[in-house]
Amino acid sequence: YVACDSPPIPCSRDPDQILCIYNANIDVYELKTELDAGAMFARHIGQRMYRGEYYALQVGVDAGIVFSDGWDEELIRQLDATNNDMAVISTYLSETKIRDANRPIQATPERYTICHASYKGDGRERRLEHIRSEQVHQTAPPDRTESPMLQPFWSSELSFSRGHFLLQVPYDPKLCGLDEQDEEISMALRAFSSGYDFYTPTQSVIFRTKVDSNSHSNVEGLCKGNPKNKSRKRLYSLIGLNNNDEDAIPHEYGLGAVRDTAKFFTLYGIHASERVTEHRLCEFVTTGNMHDEFVPHMRHDGMGIDYNRISFRFHELISIHKDSHQ
């Protein structure tokens, strides 16, 4: 057994190792296997360790994560370039084959823009979600390489923001065994309603390595008995998509009071009542047209975009595009 903050060689023998130099900046929380309750519970524990740091980074729970040289300075530069204190840089992690800690890895221009969501499932079980394979993986347009572009959705694989994001949009500890699709849509709605805006980065600086899906351990822990359905009902109650009142849900785990989620749905062509979505949103997002449409309505104090000044409805734009090509 080796603790996560223990270097390969004792610091007494090699004090120049990264884990020796910055050991005072590292906190590790060890959880017994039988107390495991899934990724969202683990992230709740991580958020409880927040002590007022200026920035907050969340990356995927997979162990196969690789950071490029200067990743932190580059993410800070990109966040500052948005001129938005409520900006959240978020994307799915691009893949790399490099796993050698002694072999430097460089940033790459390709990154995911999270712009497509759809309802999946049958009947009343149809749920809004977005998956990696349906997103756009490409370089930023030539005139968009210096500053991140707005995008509609958020990813649990990489989220970088000011530290107050953890305080304003905390994880609910009672959501057991849910997958990332449920997590990501709920966090997007909660963060949007709390005044946050999502951006795709200008380049990839953190990567994941290919991991065999069979290599993950199937740990039940506190989720034994498969309480996923109960957790999903609670989750959808939190974000206002389910009239489930069986739990007294604390307000801090629900929607924010800055924006209405109805605005989120109309902006991005999501028809919640019919459980269908428009399918050409990525054209609007990846070209930078959405960014140019919304950013001029940034609040004067830099505290997010004022969507009360935006009357845009995405499905109307689609109709206009169709008419203009006839």
Side-chain angles (χ1 to χ4, degrees):
Y1 167 77
V2 179
C4 294
D5 57 345
S6 296
I9 303 172
C11 293
S12 58
R13 290 169 49 193
D14 186 0
D16 294 330
Q17 298 172 92
I18 294 295
L19 284 175
C20 298
I21 298 173
Y22 297 104
N23 189 265
N25 297 341
I26 301 172
D27 291 322
V28 175
Y29 184 92
E30 298 183 359
L31 185 71
K32 293 182 178 180
T33 300
E34 59 267 25
L35 298 179
D36 181 27
M40 296 181 74
F41 177 74
R43 289 174 179 137
H44 166 78
I45 294 295
Q47 287 186 341
R48 290 177 61 178
M49 300 172 70
Y50 176 69
R51 293 297 182 269
E53 290 81 4
Y54 197 81
Y55 299 106
L57 171 70
Q58 174 180 309
V59 293
V61 296
D62 200 311
I65 303 295
V66 181
F67 295 78
S68 65
D69 285 352
W71 66 270
D72 48 353
E73 294 178 349
E74 175 58 22
L75 282 179
I76 291 172
R77 184 199 68 77
Q78 292 189 36
L79 195 67
D80 289 345
T82 66
N83 295 312
N84 183 352
D85 200 64
M86 305 297 283
V88 182
I89 295 176
S90 187
T91 188
Y92 287 115
L93 298 179
S94 298
E95 292 185 349
T96 181
K97 296 180 180 179
I98 300 176
R99 298 198 68 171
D100 185 354
N102 296 317
R103 181 181 174 187
I105 183 171
Q106 302 300 320
T108 61
E110 295 84 11
R111 80 283 188 262
Y112 282 96
T113 300
I114 312 173
C115 52
H116 177 76
S118 60
Y119 282 88
K120 300 185 185 300
D122 299 318
R124 296 187 60 82
E125 297 301 316
R126 286 173 60 80
R127 310 192 324 271
L128 182 64
E129 60 184 51
H130 54 78
I131 58 178
R132 170 197 298 272
S133 61
E134 296 177 348
Q135 309 312 313
V136 179
H137 189 242
Q138 64 181 24
T139 60
D143 59 338
R144 311 280 177 168
T145 58
E146 294 301 317
S147 179
M149 287 196 313
L150 281 173
Q151 65 181 5
F153 304 113
W154 177 90
S155 170
S156 61
E157 289 194 8
L158 189 152
S159 176
F160 184 73
S161 64
R162 285 287 311 278
H164 52 67
F165 181 75
L166 306 186
L167 302 178
Q168 298 299 320
V169 195
Y171 275 96
D172 181 2
K174 291 188 176 182
L175 298 177
C176 192
L178 294 180
D179 54 34
E180 67 178 18
Q181 285 78 25
D182 291 313
E183 172 190 357
E184 290 172 342
I185 288 296
S186 67
M187 289 294 285
L189 287 170
R190 293 178 58 217
F192 176 87
S193 65
S194 297
Y196 290 93
D197 302 307
F198 311 120
Y199 292 77
T200 183
T202 59
Q203 57 183 333
S204 293
V205 296
I206 303 176
F207 304 84
R208 68 169 191 163
T209 58
K210 276 195 173 183
V211 178
D212 185 355
S213 60
N214 295 323
S215 65
H216 297 288
S217 58
N218 185 19
V219 178
E220 288 187 324
L222 296 180
C223 294
K224 188 175 182 179
N226 191 24
K228 180 179 288 190
N229 288 338
K230 182 177 180 180
S231 292
R232 187 168 287 150
K233 288 180 180 179
R234 176 181 170 90
L235 175 69
Y236 275 70
S237 294
L238 286 168
I239 58 178
L241 296 181
N242 186 16
N243 296 320
N244 172 45
D245 298 321
E246 65 181 66
D247 292 317
I249 301 175
H251 174 72
E252 63 264 30
Y253 301 129
L255 296 172
V258 178
R259 301 170 182 151
D260 195 312
T261 54
K263 174 66 74 172
F264 183 92
F265 295 141
T266 58
L267 284 172
Y268 304 132
I270 300 170
H271 307 287
S273 298
E274 297 82 5
R275 301 194 181 191
V276 295
T277 61
E278 306 284 351
H279 290 285
R280 293 174 59 185
L281 181 60
C282 285
E283 298 176 23
F284 183 46
V285 177
T286 58
T287 56
N289 290 337
M290 186 182 86
H291 184 92
D292 293 342
E293 181 86 20
F294 295 170
V295 166
H297 301 288
M298 183 77 67
R299 298 180 187 276
H300 295 302
D301 58 4
M303 294 296 289
I305 295 172
D306 184 0
Y307 284 100
N308 289 327
R309 297 164 51 194
I310 299 176
S311 57
F312 178 87
R313 296 172 65 91
F314 179 70
H315 68 276
E316 292 179 358
L317 178 71
I318 292 298
S319 298
I320 292 173
H321 278 182
K322 287 181 178 179
D323 291 341
S324 66
H325 287 83
Q326 290 179 353

